[in-house]
Amino acid sequence: MRRVPFLAVFLVLAVGSVCSASPSIPELWMANGMVQGTQSFRYGEVDWESELAYVAGEALLPDRGTPSEMLRSRRAARVSLFLNCSLLSHELTGTEPPDTFETDGALFEDVAVLGGERDGRYVVGAWIPLDRIVALSER
């Protein structure tokens, strides 16, 4: 049996633990072009200085506005918001999004989610702390 030097084992463990950790916000900022101020992405915007991400979700409003159909549109917009948060996270970190998405209430804790009708759609949006968005790619 061949002996492996302690240093080689230590380096493999150290590199593995560094690679599995999520990147810091300054590392993400550098990896995404070091844009000053707000940067637009496909699934949202990131304000690098305040470390906030703006994410929106939307759904079509029904032609006839029965209460149940309006409620369904609002729920669909919120689901779209959750999905866009996850997709922005994976866009920022360069990781593949999972087939399923789960989140808990911590993502929107102390966050005001505003919604309203615009151009035949119901739109909801929120400024969310960037570290919460980045953490979604770890799940």
Side-chain angles (χ1 to χ4, degrees), residues 13-24:
L13 292 175
V15 169
S17 66
V18 169
C19 292
S20 65
S22 66
S24 68

Side-chain angles (χ1 to χ4, degrees), residues 23-101:
S24 68
I25 292 176
E27 290 171 333
L28 287 174
W29 178 62
M30 288 189 292
N32 286 289
M34 297 174 61
V35 172
Q36 297 293 323
T38 303
Q39 183 176 5
S40 294
F41 290 90
R42 182 173 181 188
Y43 298 103
E45 297 179 359
V46 172
D47 183 343
W48 294 106
E49 293 171 9
S50 62
E51 296 184 1
L52 292 171
Y54 178 78
V55 185
E58 60 182 49
L60 284 173
L61 286 169
D63 290 334
R64 27 169 234 177
T66 65
S68 64
E69 289 174 329
M70 294 297 288
L71 183 60
R72 210 170 306 141
S73 272
R74 290 178 178 179
R75 286 181 180 161
R78 285 194 303 255
V79 169
S80 175
L81 174 65
F82 290 135
L83 178 61
N84 287 340
C85 286
S86 176
L87 293 173
L88 177 61
S89 173
H90 293 285
E91 184 178 12
L92 287 171
T93 60
T95 58
E96 280 294 314
D99 293 334
T100 61
F101 172 68

